[in-house]
Amino acid sequence: MCGRYALGIRASFVRHQFQEHDMPVEDAPEDEDVRQTYNFAPGSHGLVYRADVPDSGAGGSNHRGQGTADEGNAEQIEATGEAEGLKETKYKLQAMKWGLVPFWTKRNPDYGSVMKTINARDDSLAQSGGMWSTMKQKKRCIVVAQGFYEWLKKNGGKEKIPHFTRRKDGQLMCFAGLWDCVQYEGSDDKHYTYTVITTDSNKQLSFLHDRMPVILENGSDAIRTWLSPERSEWSKELQSLLRPFDGELECYAVSKEVGKVGNNSPAFIVPVASAENKSNIANFFSNAKKEAAGPAEKDKIKGEETQVLQKGFKAEAEQDEQRTTVSHDGSEDNAPLPGSSPPFVKSGSKRAHSLEVEEHDVSPMKAVKLEKSADKAAAGTASPDKKTGKKGRSATSNGTKGSPVRAGDGSQRITNFFNR
């Protein structure tokens, strides 16, 4: 994990819940600006909680094309990390796209490249330099979710059973993440994107996968430390926060319909064992309501219960989701990935190579290799690594023996794609 999660709630509800946990929210997007779905896939606009700092991050100078939270304010442009520490830190919820595109990227990257930056490994962040260097120091965030999905492989991988993991107390999950803002050459538009940080699975989830998202406790000192703009240098203290969750979780099998990108139903977060018994469904939601923190959360749970009881476990296809679904086995998760669709590629551009494939047709890693080959042929030039002689660094693997990425897989270092 993390390749798919649930976010079937409004931004206004999240704002209320955060404030209940002493997590102030000065600003938040409109509810319609954030995708509300129980089957949230990469490439969609999710909800991110961060300190209200300039687009270049906490402290330090601006990057190319990046201004401040208040454009045109000369005093803010010259603000330093020391000045930020003297004023009260404000926090905000923001809609961002899942799949981080670093600030130095000059052109809209191909879809396969973005799919490779939906996660950042904790051990990659422990290394100096690399793709995440600026973001981990100046652009840390919290990614909001109700819980996440992982696929349990059985019968030698021939069968995959989706499981949903949530907090046992029913509270929102706060994933540790990184964000960035990029402005492509020749464009005035700013694009905000994010990645979810992963770590080793805890004992409870080790049967499912050997990786899980870093989960920070709601309203905790850990979250305040992680988001603090005063900490604009990476440290052992920040690295120590990236560890397996030691709180209580619930993990259970759910409907296989969650595997198809674009399917959506609150039934996806209900144990599949309850499908044939309405009393079991009622018990599930009854227990959830008992654990709810307040009236707003109880009303949300009641609405989910009503929808499941009325419509059953049948999923509805979201009309605005046209992407295909690609089977996937990865080092971070086994979640089926969405295939490509606009706006990830620009029509008429030599970079606009189709990645749309049917499920089980071709792996994402091979698809990226085909795209890279096509780009090189079109440009008639060598790759950035060959031209500069520099050796890149993997963003999602630390290159250790346990990494599944091998030279023969057709995989390439992520920084190659974003340096184009």
Side-chain angles (χ1 to χ4, degrees):
M1 171 43 196
C2 181
R4 200 82 65 83
Y5 61 84
L7 187 66
I9 49 180
R10 301 183 304 275
S12 54
F13 174 78
V14 174
R15 183 176 193 170
H16 176 270
Q17 291 300 99
F18 274 18
Q19 291 173 335
E20 289 287 310
H21 285 86
D22 196 25
M23 297 170 65
V25 181
E26 295 294 328
D27 189 28
E30 297 295 329
D31 288 345
E32 57 268 21
D33 292 336
V34 180
R35 193 178 192 90
Q36 299 172 40
T37 175
Y38 295 91
N39 190 9
F40 195 92
S44 299
H45 281 82
L47 202 55
V48 166
Y49 181 66
R50 68 177 179 93
D52 191 2
V53 296
D55 293 339
S56 55
S61 59
N62 297 330
H63 303 311
R64 172 181 60 83
Q66 293 190 341
T68 66
D70 183 8
E71 293 291 345
N73 188 330
E75 294 182 358
Q76 281 187 301
I77 294 177
E78 297 175 358
T80 63
E82 180 180 357
E84 288 173 357
L86 297 176
K87 61 183 180 182
E88 181 183 359
T89 302
K90 295 184 178 180
Y91 300 89
K92 66 179 181 179
L93 287 166
Q94 184 174 358
M96 295 189 187
K97 183 172 285 188
W98 189 11
L100 192 142
V101 180
F103 67 87
W104 64 78
T105 309
K106 296 182 179 181
R107 293 177 292 177
N108 191 7
D110 60 67
Y111 184 77
S113 301
V114 176
M115 288 299 100
K116 292 168 71 65
T117 56
I118 62 174
N119 292 149
R121 292 178 61 100
D122 60 337
D123 45 10
S124 291
L125 269 60
Q127 303 173 20
S128 60
M131 175 177 173
W132 308 118
S133 180
T134 299
M135 286 78 87
K136 72 182 183 182
Q137 296 183 78
K138 304 174 182 294
K139 303 177 182 181
R140 299 181 298 274
C141 66
I142 293 297
V143 180
V144 185
Q146 291 173 278
F148 63 91
Y149 299 98
E150 184 52 80
W151 276 254
L152 177 65
K153 293 194 292 185
K154 286 192 172 185
N155 301 325
K158 295 180 180 179
E159 182 182 9
K160 293 182 181 180
I161 302 174
H163 284 64
F164 183 67
T165 300
R166 61 191 287 268
R167 290 177 57 118
K168 192 172 183 179
D169 60 11
Q171 297 301 306
L172 294 174
M173 276 190 172
C174 293
F175 301 151
L178 304 173
W179 66 275
D180 209 345
C181 175
V182 63
Q183 193 170 343
Y184 303 128
E185 287 185 346
S187 173
D188 294 329
D189 297 330
K190 293 181 178 181
H191 303 272
Y192 294 88
T193 59
Y194 68 91
T195 188
V196 175
I197 300 173
T198 64
T199 187
D200 294 331
S201 280
N202 59 18
K203 292 181 179 179
Q204 187 177 355
L205 300 182
S206 59
F207 79 99
L208 193 58
H209 200 279
D210 57 6
R211 304 290 293 177
M212 70 178 294
V214 173
I215 303 170
L216 300 180
E217 190 63 49
N218 301 12
S220 64
D221 289 338
I223 282 186
R224 282 183 279 273
T225 298
W226 179 250
L227 297 180
S228 173
E230 297 177 29
R231 292 173 170 82
S232 56
E233 297 292 335
W234 193 245
S235 64
K236 291 182 179 179
E237 181 184 22
L238 291 171
Q239 185 70 41
S240 69
L241 299 177
L242 308 180
R243 58 179 184 268
F245 187 62
D246 57 7
E248 291 188 278
L249 299 172
E250 287 185 339
C251 181
Y252 45 82
V254 293
S255 171
K256 289 186 177 181
E257 290 194 71
V258 74
K260 181 174 175 57
V261 174
N263 280 352
N264 185 28
S265 171
F268 289 167
I269 63 174
V270 178
V272 71
S274 301
E276 304 300 326
N277 191 325
K278 288 191 175 182
S279 64
N280 287 344
I281 297 175
N283 288 337
F284 172 81
F285 285 107
S286 176
N287 292 333
K289 281 183 281 189
K290 289 179 182 178
E291 297 164 352
E297 187 171 352
K298 289 182 179 179
D299 288 343
K300 177 187 74 69
I301 295 170
K302 185 176 180 180
E304 292 173 342
E305 178 183 11
T306 299
Q307 187 171 343
V308 173
L309 289 174
Q310 289 179 349
K311 296 184 178 181
F313 278 64
K314 184 178 180 180
E316 295 181 354
E318 296 175 312
Q319 298 301 315
D320 59 343
E321 179 59 86
Q322 303 298 322
R323 292 176 294 179
T324 56
T325 304
V326 182
S327 183
H328 172 65
D329 290 315
S331 62
E332 299 306 293
D333 68 279
N334 296 321
L337 291 177
S340 68
S341 68
F344 285 92
V345 292
K346 300 176 181 178
S347 59
S349 168
K350 66 182 180 181
R351 292 173 51 81
H353 307 294
S354 173
L355 269 178
E356 291 210 11
V357 292
E358 295 299 322
E359 188 170 3
H360 306 299
D361 186 10
V362 65
S363 72
M365 303 291 279
K366 291 181 179 179
V368 171
K369 181 183 178 183
L370 293 173
E371 284 196 11
K372 181 67 175 179
S373 299
D375 269 355
K376 287 169 64 178
T381 59
S383 67
D385 275 358
K386 290 182 180 179
K387 291 175 69 178
T388 63
K390 294 182 180 180
K391 185 177 180 181
R393 185 188 297 274
S394 172
T396 56
S397 173
N398 64 353
T400 60
K401 186 176 180 180
S403 172
V405 180
R406 299 179 297 276
D409 287 350
S411 59
Q412 302 189 38
R413 299 188 185 279
I414 295 176
T415 48
N416 291 2
F417 298 99
F418 294 109
N419 281 330
R420 286 192 254 177

